[in-house]
Amino acid sequence: MGAPDIVARFAAVVDAHSGREDTSLDNDNSTPQTRAYRQLAKQQLEVLEGDDFAARGQQRRSSEAYWKTESSTWELVERLYKLRAQAHAEAQDDDMSDGDSERALAASTDYVAVQELMGRSNVLTEYVEVKRWLEETAPEFQAVETRKGYLFYTRRSIAGRGARDSRIVTEADPDATSRQQRELTAEDAEYSAGLVRTLYEYVRRGRVNNAIELCVESDEAWRAATLKGSLIWRDPVLEPSDIPGSRPPHTAGNINRALWKHACAALAADETNDAYERALYAALSGRVDEVALVCDGWDDYLWAHVNSLIETHVDRAIADSALLYTPAQTTALGHVPSRYASARDLSHVLDALASHDSPALRLAAAEPFRRLQAAVIVDNFPAYLNDYAQHLSAAEPADTDADLLRVVVHIALFLRCLGFALPSDAVAAVLDVYIGLLISDNRDLVAVYVAHLPPTRQTEAYAQFLRSVNDPAPVRVQLLMLAATHGLDADAIAKRTAQLVLEKHSAHWPSTAAYVLAEPIEPTSDAESEKVRAIEWITAFPRLYDYALVEVCNLGRQFLLCGRTNAAAKLFNSLPDDFVQPEWVATTKPDSLSAASDPFTNASPLARADALPETISHVHEYIQMLSLCDAYHYYSTWAEVMCKRPADSAMQLSSRMQAQCLEWKKSAVQTTNHATFMFRTRLIDLDWLSSQSLRISTNPSSDNSQTSRLDDLSRLRELYIPETVFRLHSILFDSRTVLPQNLQQSLNLAQLVAEESLGIYHHLAKANIAYPRGRLIAFLGLMRRSAFEILRIQQLSHPDKPPLLGDSMPASVGRTAA
């Protein structure tokens, strides 16, 4: 599994346990997450170890060391927080009960006294769990081989007196070397050193039984007896039947364990003994001094101190109990001094390791995972989380340890699932950083973790993520669906995402002072395309169409105010086919032409009884802006057809050319009629974007958005109604050769403009950003041109009439209109 794979697998575990905040321990359901995380880390390690073809370089070794550390960290979290969750549950049960829920054990033996202490001391229980964790996660070591025959070579040397070395002991007993101040033979000395080191390593890993078995199999039963002295005394006859653990068939352990520990301490303090032998008996007796001599790292030092703390608690429990027997007294024995001061607790131990005289040990204690493990051990994860969140806020993203962050995030989520209190701001901060890392390579997982942010931050966080997604619409819709799948408010997220994208490009609007009407074929800018794509977020779900309708109209108005009819058309064309909902409008049969290129040509939208007034108004606005874009785009189609008019000389050519001329004329008539219908019926006669046509109330309103909308609509009418009239005149006037009646209709536009109910002449006369002097004079020039053209045609049909005055007038009118 690679890094992205492990990230996805962790997310799958989080997703599987989301919403299951059950802290019950009856069925061991409190730690499935940590167990799953630990297994995933172990699988990573197994993949590395099983790759025989991979080069065993420094990177490979570092990877193996990392996954071992992470795996052991998850095991530590699982062990300790299972105990803490149990203690919390038991404390709640005790608070709800009338009396003590458990019967106190009668301290009849050392074992019962220790069990009684374990039952009432959560601290000691955690110490024992930490010690077991340190033992079970210790690195492997090479044990010495079993060898039969106690001091085989030394005994053979003693037997051969003639060739005996004066440095070799003369008696083969365990105390001979110290008593005679002599040595064993080289072979026995080497094996003895390896044996005691193996025995220590067994004890360091909690495998005392293995150490005893090795002694027996190596014919050193006396040493096995010394190790058995560490066992706590038990007597099944004296112990209650409900004592925890299996009952031995007979007495076991050391009834004089305190005396034995004095002997071990003395043996460990003897500097003439082998270092590992001293460490062995120091560990058994709970001393730190001699164990420290062979410690190889932070784990070893911590184990020595935890072992010492446990022994201290056990000794005190036994000493304070009223036992049914009297062990041997040790008061007459001299106390073996210790260089290390007795630690108060593990917090004190870990602080001491962090400030140790050894630079290597201080460096090890400062390693990120050691600091995390220390915080877990002393139940100080909330403070650690605060510090870690502050560190992340000050660090550059490139400096973030992604693996450590992943572990911290998932520990925090696990503890919250168990009901442990954590600083919400710190949890949110580490989640924010982790989500930021996921965005680049694991976008599908973002929703999993955003769902664990505070509810007030979820929408904003996911919307900030989506604003940077520029994939095709189906991919973006899928990301929204993932949000809903994980309990997020997909509707609110879609709205906020659209808002963020539009705000991002709010500074890219063209200056209204530089208003230029865009041609339909002109490409849109990148900023305009992004604005159009922003609307796609809120058209992802039909249930958002009402909201999207308002935003579409807002954006469409802004495009048209800048003259960007091409961008507005792109916006309207990007909408789903089912965007206009049946409940928005009802339709009636058209009163005029039935041919149309879109569903609104032959339908007059009427308000439905169940539609909101605001929705009704925006539906009409949307349809009328869409009609403008369609009409202006069709104007280009009409102009292109008219430009293809055959020359007049083609009429005198072959029948094939005459057929082409007839075909062109048919096409010109059709496009002209349709263009006239679009400009006249769907724009001018409709009183385009007026308050009345949009069903907008004219009553004063304190709503700023309504006021702004009315201002925008007024400016749009000032810009586009004159332009629409001018283009309609062009259609009618330039098509006079194929539809002669259109010439008179072009002149009749004067009556339409003068009609008070439409008020078009007001817009022609009023100055605007595009035409500072208004367009009324230019319109009068168009009317003059139409009138002179009518008179010219009449002159041609009646040659007996006097010639028209000012034959050059059309040219001058054209210049004036231009």
Side-chain angles (χ1 to χ4, degrees):
M1 293 184 293
D5 191 21
I6 195 71
V7 169
R9 288 174 180 256
F10 266 64
V13 175
V14 173
D15 191 25
H17 292 85
S18 294
R20 291 169 49 185
E21 298 185 1
D22 180 15
T23 59
S24 172
L25 297 173
D26 294 339
N27 298 315
D28 194 28
N29 288 329
S30 64
T31 57
Q33 293 182 62
T34 50
R35 194 171 302 127
Y37 298 146
R38 175 161 54 93
Q39 187 60 36
L40 289 173
K42 284 186 174 180
Q43 290 174 6
Q44 291 286 93
L45 179 60
E46 290 169 359
V47 170
L48 286 173
E49 293 176 340
D51 189 359
D52 296 333
F53 298 97
R56 287 192 170 272
Q58 180 60 37
Q59 185 175 1
R60 166 72 175 272
R61 291 192 294 271
S62 297
S63 296
E64 290 180 348
Y66 169 79
W67 290 114
K68 287 180 181 178
T69 301
E70 178 172 333
S71 176
S72 66
T73 301
W74 285 118
E75 184 171 355
L76 176 66
V77 173
E78 179 179 343
R79 287 173 177 269
L80 292 183
Y81 281 100
K82 179 179 179 180
L83 291 176
R84 290 164 185 167
Q86 287 176 327
H88 180 67
E90 290 171 358
Q92 289 182 327
D93 291 342
D94 289 344
D95 291 340
M96 296 176 63
S97 62
D98 296 332
D100 191 359
S101 60
E102 293 186 2
R103 179 181 61 83
L105 297 174
S108 54
T109 64
D110 294 354
Y111 181 81
V112 174
V114 173
Q115 290 300 316
E116 182 183 14
L117 175 62
M118 294 280 288
R120 66 173 183 267
S121 173
N122 295 328
V123 172
L124 179 59
T125 305
E126 289 190 12
Y127 287 174
V128 171
E129 207 61 54
V130 171
K131 180 172 179 283
R132 289 174 180 168
W133 169 71
L134 290 167
E135 291 169 347
E136 294 174 12
T137 58
E140 297 179 357
F141 74 100
Q142 185 63 46
V144 72
E145 295 180 357
T146 301
R147 192 182 76 177
K148 293 293 184 179
Y150 175 62
L151 299 181
F152 174 79
Y153 294 99
T154 300
R155 287 191 289 107
R156 190 171 67 175
S157 174
I158 293 172
R161 296 181 183 275
R164 188 174 61 204
D165 189 335
S166 60
R167 296 173 300 174
I168 304 301
V169 295
T170 60
E171 297 175 352
D173 62 84
D175 298 325
T177 53
S178 59
R179 186 177 64 254
Q180 295 183 352
Q181 295 298 305
R182 293 189 177 190
E183 303 173 357
L184 301 176
T185 59
E187 296 85 352
D188 288 338
E190 181 181 0
Y191 181 78
S192 179
L195 177 66
V196 294
R197 176 165 185 169
T198 298
L199 297 177
Y200 168 76
E201 298 292 358
Y202 276 139
V203 172
R204 163 66 179 84
R205 287 158 181 78
R207 299 163 60 183
V208 177
N209 288 337
N210 291 114
I212 294 173
E213 291 173 3
L214 177 60
C215 292
V216 173
E217 293 173 359
S218 298
D219 289 340
E220 295 198 12
W222 65 271
R223 196 184 293 275
T226 64
L227 299 181
K228 284 186 176 182
S230 63
L231 302 180
I232 298 176
W233 182 67
R234 301 190 64 179
D235 188 340
V237 176
L238 300 177
E239 294 175 354
S241 58
D242 58 347
I243 188 71
S246 59
R247 292 166 57 83
H250 47 71
T251 58
N254 186 356
I255 197 171
N256 291 311
R257 192 169 185 268
L259 179 61
W260 169 86
K261 291 184 70 172
H262 272 275
C264 288
L267 185 60
D270 188 349
E271 297 181 358
T272 63
N273 290 326
D274 177 86
Y276 277 97
E277 185 167 22
R278 298 175 64 192
L280 170 64
Y281 289 102
L284 291 172
S285 60
R287 288 173 59 84
V288 176
D289 295 50
E290 294 75 25
V291 179
L293 297 175
V294 298
C295 285
D296 194 31
W298 184 87
D299 305 74
D300 290 334
Y301 277 95
L302 180 59
W303 179 84
H305 284 282
V306 174
N307 180 64
S308 178
L309 282 169
I310 292 173
E311 286 296 325
T312 300
H313 280 76
V314 168
D315 291 345
R316 187 178 301 121
I318 296 174
D320 293 344
S321 299
L323 302 174
L324 302 178
Y325 62 92
T326 303
Q329 296 297 313
T330 60
T331 53
L333 301 175
H335 177 68
V336 181
S338 175
R339 183 171 65 89
Y340 282 87
S342 178
R344 297 187 304 273
D345 50 38
L346 276 182
S347 180
H348 179 236
V349 170
L350 290 166
D351 289 342
L353 294 179
S355 59
H356 200 273
D357 294 339
S358 168
L361 192 55
R362 290 199 307 272
L363 185 63
E367 290 178 0
F369 266 93
R370 295 302 182 214
R371 295 180 60 193
L372 173 58
Q373 290 170 352
V376 171
I377 289 171
V378 299
D379 197 12
N380 198 30
F381 185 76
Y384 170 87
L385 191 63
N386 273 326
D387 293 342
Y388 185 67
Q390 293 177 4
H391 164 74
L392 289 178
S393 65
E396 295 293 331
D399 297 332
T400 301
D401 186 337
D403 284 317
L404 177 63
L405 174 60
R406 171 174 50 80
V407 173
V408 172
V409 164
H410 289 86
I411 290 177
L413 295 182
F414 168 67
L415 296 188
R416 283 209 315 194
C417 182
L418 284 183
F420 287 95
L422 294 177
S424 57
D425 289 344
V427 175
V430 297
L431 276 172
D432 283 338
V433 178
Y434 189 64
I435 290 168
L437 296 181
L438 292 176
I439 289 175
S440 58
D441 298 318
N442 296 276
R443 295 187 309 180
D444 291 348
L445 307 180
V446 171
V448 176
Y449 296 93
V450 171
H452 289 274
L453 288 171
T456 55
R457 296 187 55 185
Q458 292 175 357
T459 296
E460 183 69 18
Y462 205 73
Q464 289 288 353
F465 153 58
L466 292 182
R467 69 179 293 193
S468 62
V469 176
N470 293 316
D471 294 67
V475 177
R476 289 183 284 155
V477 172
Q478 179 61 29
L479 290 174
L480 273 177
M481 296 296 291
L482 284 174
T485 301
H486 292 93
L488 302 177
D489 188 342
D491 292 358
I493 290 171
K495 293 177 183 179
R496 180 56 179 158
T497 303
Q499 181 182 7
L500 288 172
V501 176
L502 292 174
E503 289 176 352
K504 172 185 175 183
H505 296 286
S506 60
H508 293 82
W509 288 109
S511 172
T512 54
Y515 171 89
V516 176
L517 188 60
E519 292 297 325
I521 61 174
E522 184 177 335
T524 57
S525 67
D526 291 341
E528 289 169 339
S529 297
E530 283 295 311
K531 292 170 187 173
V532 172
R533 291 172 70 85
I535 299 299
E536 293 178 3
W537 288 112
I538 50 178
T539 57
F541 308 121
R543 59 180 179 270
L544 292 179
Y545 282 179
D546 287 73
Y547 175 84
L549 174 65
V550 176
E551 295 303 314
V552 166
C553 290
N554 291 339
L555 183 57
R557 284 197 300 273
Q558 298 307 313
F559 280 143
L560 294 179
L561 284 170
C562 298
R564 305 297 291 173
T565 54
N566 55 333
K570 183 175 183 178
L571 167 65
F572 299 140
N573 291 333
S574 70
L575 300 175
D577 294 339
D578 64 340
F579 181 65
V580 177
Q581 298 295 287
E583 62 268 21
W584 290 353
V585 295
T587 58
T588 61
K589 294 182 179 180
D591 296 329
S592 55
L593 297 175
S594 60
S597 61
D598 62 73
F600 304 116
T601 299
N602 57 357
S604 300
L606 300 176
R608 288 279 294 265
D610 54 350
L612 296 174
E614 182 182 11
T615 301
I616 296 170
S617 172
H618 282 92
V619 168
H620 285 280
E621 180 182 355
Y622 160 70
I623 293 175
Q624 292 183 32
M625 287 193 294
L626 176 61
S627 297
L628 177 81
C629 293
D630 285 347
Y632 280 29
H633 184 272
Y634 196 81
Y635 180 83
S636 299
T637 302
W638 169 83
E640 184 179 355
V641 171
M642 298 303 293
C643 288
K644 294 179 180 179
R645 174 190 175 101
D648 292 339
S649 59
M651 298 295 182
Q652 309 300 325
L653 298 179
S654 64
S655 59
R656 178 172 177 273
M657 294 299 298
Q658 292 180 6
Q660 290 181 354
C661 291
L662 293 174
E663 184 66 25
W664 171 84
K665 185 175 181 179
K666 180 181 179 181
S667 176
V669 170
Q670 290 178 343
T671 54
T672 298
N673 285 336
H674 189 59
T676 302
F677 171 78
M678 295 177 74
F679 275 81
R680 180 65 187 263
T681 306
R682 292 174 54 186
L683 296 178
I684 295 178
D685 291 348
L686 188 65
D687 198 8
W688 185 77
L689 293 191
S690 67
S691 298
Q692 182 178 0
S693 68
L694 297 185
R695 280 66 165 177
I696 299 178
S697 173
T698 57
N699 295 328
S701 173
S702 59
D703 186 353
N704 292 333
S705 62
Q706 179 76 337
T707 302
S708 176
R709 181 190 180 201
L710 290 172
D711 290 343
D712 289 345
L713 292 173
S714 177
R715 287 191 293 153
L716 287 174
R717 284 172 58 80
E718 293 169 6
L719 289 170
Y720 287 97
I721 286 180
E723 181 66 24
T724 299
V725 171
F726 272 65
R727 292 197 179 206
L728 177 58
H729 180 273
S730 175
I731 294 170
L732 295 172
F733 185 82
D734 291 347
S735 64
R736 64 190 183 278
T737 57
V738 293
L739 290 168
Q741 67 271 24
N742 280 359
L743 179 59
Q744 182 61 45
Q745 291 185 20
S746 71
L747 182 61
N748 293 342
L749 286 178
Q751 298 177 2
L752 183 69
V753 168
E755 188 175 333
E756 187 65 32
S757 62
L758 296 177
I760 297 176
Y761 67 91
H762 292 295
H763 299 301
L764 288 171
K766 191 173 183 179
N768 57 54
I769 56 175
Y771 297 94
R773 298 173 59 186
R775 305 188 73 177
L776 184 58
I777 295 178
F779 175 74
L780 293 176
L782 293 179
M783 295 301 96
R784 182 181 305 172
R785 184 181 183 189
S786 295
F788 269 88
E789 180 65 12
I790 291 173
L791 292 174
R792 186 187 68 80
I793 293 174
Q794 291 176 351
Q795 178 68 43
L796 291 176
S797 62
H798 298 84
D800 55 332
K801 288 188 176 182
L804 294 173
L805 296 176
D807 287 339
S808 62
M809 184 63 70
S812 64
V813 171
R815 288 194 297 271
T816 302

